[in-house]
Amino acid sequence: MDFKNKWVLLFLGTFLLFVIEVLYFYPKLPDTVASHFNIEGNVDNYMNKNNFVLMIFGIYLAITIFFLIFAIKLPSMSTKHLNLPHKELLLDESHRKESLKKISIYFIKLSSLTNAFFICLFLLTSYVSIKGLNKLPSVFFILLALYIISMIVLFMGFNRDMRKLSEMDS
């Protein structure tokens, strides 16, 4: 994997931003923080600040490591469990390297997008706890909608790119 790739830099940048955000907000958080919200955005569970930060950081780190390892290792992994349309064509010797590179890049994009959403979620949760609020700001629902729309656009682009690759020899 080419670590000069702009998507890898974005991925690593979102990770660094999250670490900075946690380090910045941790001292400002109260001892008990909002940790869960219902469908209407109301706080319905709290937890100890240390446990909350460890849980959030652990989940974030697990997601980050999973996507990064998958993106780096994909070109050398067995692809027998990989489910793609036109798999035989996309993974034949003439397309395999380019197909796996594109899939790896899409995993980096997916992770960067998910990490950016997670950063916003931590920011909003911290804001609610620091201000002593009982509800997420309405901007959360806008961010959630943008995240979902971005995921749809990302998957549409992935499907378009995979279709283009499969049609190259057709």
Side-chain angles (χ1 to χ4, degrees), residues 12-158:
L12 295 174
T14 58
F15 179 75
L16 182 61
L17 182 61
F18 183 72
V19 171
I20 291 168
E21 181 183 46
V22 169
L23 292 173
Y24 176 79
F25 279 106
Y26 180 79
K28 299 176 186 307
L29 290 171
D31 290 337
T32 303
V33 297
S35 62
H36 193 270
F37 302 85
N38 65 21
I39 192 74
E40 296 169 349
N42 296 316
V43 178
D44 64 4
N45 203 0
Y46 295 88
M47 71 187 323
N48 173 282
K49 166 173 93 168
N50 296 332
N51 293 340
F52 174 75
V53 170
L54 284 173
M55 179 191 70
I56 292 293
F57 195 77
I59 292 169
Y60 187 92
L61 195 58
I63 290 169
T64 301
I65 289 170
F66 169 77
F67 279 110
L68 187 59
I69 288 174
F70 189 83
I72 291 170
K73 292 291 187 181
L74 180 64
S76 62
M77 290 171 46
S78 168
T79 54
K80 69 180 180 181
H81 298 294
L82 193 59
N83 187 10
L84 290 171
H86 310 291
K87 178 179 174 177
E88 297 78 24
L89 182 60
L90 289 171
L91 297 179
D92 74 2
E93 287 306 312
S94 63
H95 296 103
R96 180 181 174 83
K97 186 175 181 180
E98 186 175 353
S99 294
L100 293 178
K101 180 181 177 187
K102 284 196 179 291
I103 294 168
S104 292
I105 289 171
Y106 272 98
F107 263 88
I108 294 293
K109 289 178 182 180
L110 176 66
S111 180
S112 297
L113 184 59
T114 301
N115 288 351
F117 179 72
F118 218 81
I119 288 167
C120 293
L121 189 58
F122 181 79
L123 179 66
L124 288 174
T125 304
S126 297
Y127 174 79
V128 166
S129 295
I130 291 167
K131 296 290 186 182
L133 304 175
N134 290 320
K135 186 172 184 145
L136 279 170
S138 56
V139 72
F140 166 76
F141 296 101
I142 295 168
L143 287 170
L144 181 60
L146 287 173
Y147 176 70
I148 291 168
I149 291 167
S150 299
M151 295 293 277
I152 291 168
V153 169
L154 182 67
F155 284 116
M156 288 172 58
F158 176 77

Side-chain angles (χ1 to χ4, degrees), residues 102 106 156-166:
K102 284 196 179 291
Y106 272 98
M156 288 172 58
F158 176 77
N159 285 331
R160 182 197 63 233
D161 286 352
M162 292 297 106
R163 191 172 32 257
K164 281 182 186 176
L165 278 173
S166 69

